[in-house]
Amino acid sequence: MSSINYSEKIPNNVNLSEDRTLQRALEHWQPNYLSWWQDMGPEGSHGFDVYLRTATSVDPQGWAQFGHVKMPDYRWGIFLNPAEQDRKIHFGDHKGEAAWQDVPGEHRANLRRIIVTQGDTEPASVEQQRHLGLTCPSMYDLRNLFQVNVEEGRHLWAMVYLLHKYFGRDGREEAEALLDRRSGNDDNPRILAAFNEKTPDWLSFFMFTYFTDRDGKFQLCALAESSFDPLARTTKFMLTEEAHHMFVGESGVSRVIQRTVDMMNQLKTDDVGKLRAAGVIDLPTIQRYINFHYSVTIDLFGADQSSNAAIFYSAGLKGRYEEGKRTDDHVLKGQMYKILEVQGEGLVEKEVPMLNALNEVLRDDYITDSKAGVDRWNRVIDKAGVQFRLCVPHKAFHRNIGTLAGVKVSPDGRVVSESEWHAKVKEWLPTDEDRAYVASLMGRVVEPGKFANWIAPPVMGINRQPVNFEYVRFN
Ligand SMILES: [Fe+2]
Ligand SMILES: [Fe+2]
């Protein structure tokens, strides 16, 4: 079951050839997907040979094979983790019953919505990143960008498989619509706000893959608990691909910081003007990018109180992060959770039923996880002997969803007046000037082993190849 059949038009480990109707439906969708990739995939890249990893099996050990491939020939397909025998539902009102191998009628609309919302983010990020290859800081980074892009394409396949196999005609229509929406398009935008933002430069790309792909990880972890077994199995395999995306983000930001602190030591200065004249990205600008990407991303978890979140959990559609490792009753009725709200001059905690606060529970787990990487970035700064600390802003800062939407809060968590916000926002969020400066650094560096001035080389290459390996052949 775990080995992947590459002899078929659509690589898969789900015995696709035994389900002719499904196979035909997916083969009908495939050319539309490829034409979307031609139009919206990485600009100007279709003839390149890229050193990509491709899944050969879904075993946790050695699933990947590396080799130079043209991206339009990448073997996108349908890969599910092996079924767990006699898997039981382990949370919500159906706890203890057998996991569903098909979609129960009463949960059909909600499950479809969950799958479509997840599916929509995958092509959106490819669209957001499609121009970045033109300004890559190195061949190594260019290859990483392309690896992320092809895997997001495969994640779309993962969701489309579920739509086609389990949701009949509506599912097929949704699968087409996933190829029609466009990130940032006014008439037909992607579903979630963060996926309509631009990813205009490589600092944004690294922040996006660190923060926003990590939102992906938490959503996928919650869906990997689902009672709908095919969804649980497909998201488990997607998670193995997601880990690399967050690595690209964390190591990317880390290398930007490394280069900056090296220059600070070389010039013996923390003067922003001097550092910019030397062509590196000053730490306060990096902090403002963190503030932006973090706040936009934590909005993705949704409103802090949500009756839908309660329904999704109690019905067994979506669990908590690491549901199986928790020691409570996995039903949560009568349990409470603290959320934040503004009262008078300040933020106060308020207890609400946990079932309604499950978006907040997932957001808080995300926050803990994303802080850990910021601590690792601080170690790079400490090691260089520089006095500066990066941090994530308060969770009430710059929010646009739920109780905290539109409330003016500083990054350190003070409720501030409208006038203080306007006076200080240029210290807290990237300014037009910051973005223009970062944009001015973006130039294409593609000679093997060479790196743009604003970023340090990685410690090692991909798949134990040297850093100066020819990761992309331009032909
Ligand atoms: Fe993804
Ligand atoms: Fe991702």
Side-chain angles (χ1 to χ4, degrees):
M1 194 54 181
S2 64
S3 76
I4 294 170
N5 184 344
Y6 276 104
S7 64
E8 289 183 43
K9 213 165 154 191
I10 298 170
N12 71 89
N13 69 346
V14 295
N15 294 329
L16 187 58
S17 58
E18 284 170 19
D19 186 343
R20 290 285 169 191
T21 319
L22 175 65
Q23 190 180 19
R24 264 197 302 275
L26 284 166
E27 284 179 4
H28 180 75
W29 186 80
Q30 188 177 38
N32 299 343
Y33 169 80
L34 288 171
S35 97
W36 167 81
W37 181 270
Q38 289 289 338
D39 294 347
M40 298 312 294
E43 199 180 326
S45 69
H46 302 316
F48 303 168
D49 290 309
V50 187
Y51 188 67
L52 295 176
R53 65 172 187 183
T54 304
T56 50
S57 86
V58 295
D59 298 332
Q61 262 48 275
W63 66 272
Q65 179 189 305
F66 284 82
H68 283 88
V69 190
K70 285 192 176 49
M71 283 188 284
D73 301 333
Y74 186 75
R75 306 307 318 272
W76 285 290
I78 300 154
F79 317 135
L80 268 61
N81 262 29
E84 206 179 288
Q85 252 207 320
D86 302 320
R87 180 168 174 255
K88 297 271 186 290
I89 297 171
H90 65 148
F91 65 93
D93 297 343
H94 302 285
K95 200 178 119 185
E97 296 170 20
W100 315 318
Q101 298 309 322
D102 218 327
V103 179
E106 73 264 40
H107 303 313
R108 190 182 162 87
N110 279 335
L111 272 171
R112 191 181 64 203
R113 179 166 154 202
I114 288 170
I115 292 166
V116 167
T117 307
Q118 179 62 41
D120 194 66
T121 66
E122 315 289 358
S125 68
V126 175
E127 293 166 1
Q128 288 171 293
Q129 295 161 14
R130 71 179 297 252
H131 303 297
L132 289 173
L134 305 177
T135 58
C136 61
S138 74
M139 187 181 260
Y140 164 90
D141 290 292
L142 184 62
R143 176 263 164 216
N144 284 347
L145 167 71
F146 291 159
Q147 182 72 60
V148 170
N149 293 159
V150 293
E151 286 175 353
E152 300 303 7
R154 207 207 64 76
H155 290 177
L156 172 60
W157 271 92
M159 294 297 109
V160 163
Y161 162 72
L162 296 175
L163 289 169
H164 272 226
K165 182 162 169 80
Y166 298 99
F167 294 88
R169 190 182 163 164
D170 318 349
R172 290 194 294 278
E173 284 170 5
E174 294 283 12
E176 289 302 329
L178 286 167
L179 296 176
D180 291 339
R181 283 187 287 273
R182 288 286 180 274
S183 176
N185 185 303
D186 290 337
D187 300 325
N188 196 12
R190 292 293 171 184
I191 295 169
L192 300 170
F195 291 88
N196 287 303
E197 296 279 349
K198 285 199 169 68
T199 309
D201 59 64
W202 279 76
L203 182 58
S204 302
F205 171 65
F206 293 137
M207 293 287 175
F208 186 97
T209 42
Y210 183 77
F211 287 110
T212 311
D213 282 83
R214 187 175 308 275
D215 159 72
K217 167 186 160 180
F218 277 79
Q219 300 297 344
L220 294 175
C221 281
L223 297 177
E225 307 288 344
S226 184
S227 311
F228 179 40
D229 202 45
L231 176 61
R233 288 169 57 202
T234 195
T235 47
K236 273 182 195 146
F237 185 67
M238 290 162 76
L239 279 163
T240 66
E241 294 166 315
E242 207 62 70
H244 175 68
H245 308 177
M246 289 178 290
F247 158 79
V248 169
E250 181 171 337
S251 59
V253 175
S254 182
R255 290 162 50 215
V256 176
I257 294 168
Q258 183 70 61
R259 180 69 186 130
T260 300
V261 293
D262 287 349
M263 187 61 81
M264 290 172 81
N265 282 336
Q266 194 186 318
L267 300 179
K268 299 192 171 43
T269 188
D270 58 6
D271 182 87
V272 170
K274 284 181 186 155
L275 291 166
R276 288 191 175 189
V280 297
I281 304 175
D282 50 282
L283 298 176
T285 297
I286 294 173
Q287 179 65 62
R288 286 191 286 277
Y289 269 69
I290 291 174
N291 292 350
F292 175 77
H293 285 271
Y294 177 84
S295 57
V296 168
T297 301
I298 62 174
D299 269 347
L300 286 170
F301 291 89
D304 39 11
Q305 290 188 78
S306 159
S307 51
N308 269 334
I311 292 167
F312 291 177
Y313 185 86
S314 293
L317 311 184
K318 185 176 173 182
R320 286 170 296 172
Y321 177 63
E322 298 192 325
E323 184 69 48
K325 292 189 186 163
R326 297 182 191 237
T327 51
D328 53 28
D329 69 356
H330 305 277
V331 182
L332 309 181
K333 295 215 159 74
Q335 300 213 41
M336 304 299 278
Y337 196 75
K338 290 190 179 102
I339 63 161
L340 285 179
E341 68 173 16
V342 178
Q343 252 179 42
E345 305 283 273
L347 291 164
V348 292
E349 286 188 325
K350 174 176 141 182
E351 289 228 317
V352 298
M354 189 187 273
L355 279 173
N356 283 309
L358 285 171
N359 287 341
E360 195 67 12
V361 171
L362 194 59
R363 180 166 22 243
D364 286 340
D365 290 330
Y366 168 90
I367 286 173
T368 306
D369 199 59
S370 57
K371 277 180 178 164
V374 179
D375 290 341
R376 288 188 287 273
W377 294 338
N378 279 324
R379 269 180 243 149
V380 176
I381 300 175
D382 291 345
K383 228 172 136 187
V386 168
Q387 300 295 314
F388 193 95
R389 283 204 84 69
L390 295 166
C391 56
V392 299
H394 192 276
K395 84 171 165 184
F397 171 73
H398 191 232
R399 292 292 304 283
N400 271 306
I401 199 161
T403 314
L404 299 169
V407 176
K408 299 284 183 258
V409 175
S410 64
D412 59 2
R414 280 179 308 112
V415 177
V416 297
S417 66
E418 198 78 24
S419 64
E420 184 177 356
W421 174 269
H422 286 293
K424 297 267 182 64
V425 68
K426 58 183 184 300
E427 293 168 31
W428 296 339
L429 288 171
T431 61
D432 291 347
E433 205 190 332
D434 292 337
R435 292 195 183 278
Y437 172 67
V438 173
S440 77
L441 298 176
M442 300 295 124
R444 185 174 167 87
V445 178
V446 288
E447 225 183 292
K450 290 270 185 315
F451 289 80
N453 179 60
W454 54 270
I455 188 166
V459 182
M460 56 184 137
I462 292 295
N463 191 35
R464 303 208 186 115
Q465 297 290 358
V467 170
N468 64 0
F469 181 70
E470 195 176 15
Y471 290 105
V472 181
R473 297 185 191 133
F474 299 104
N475 304 314

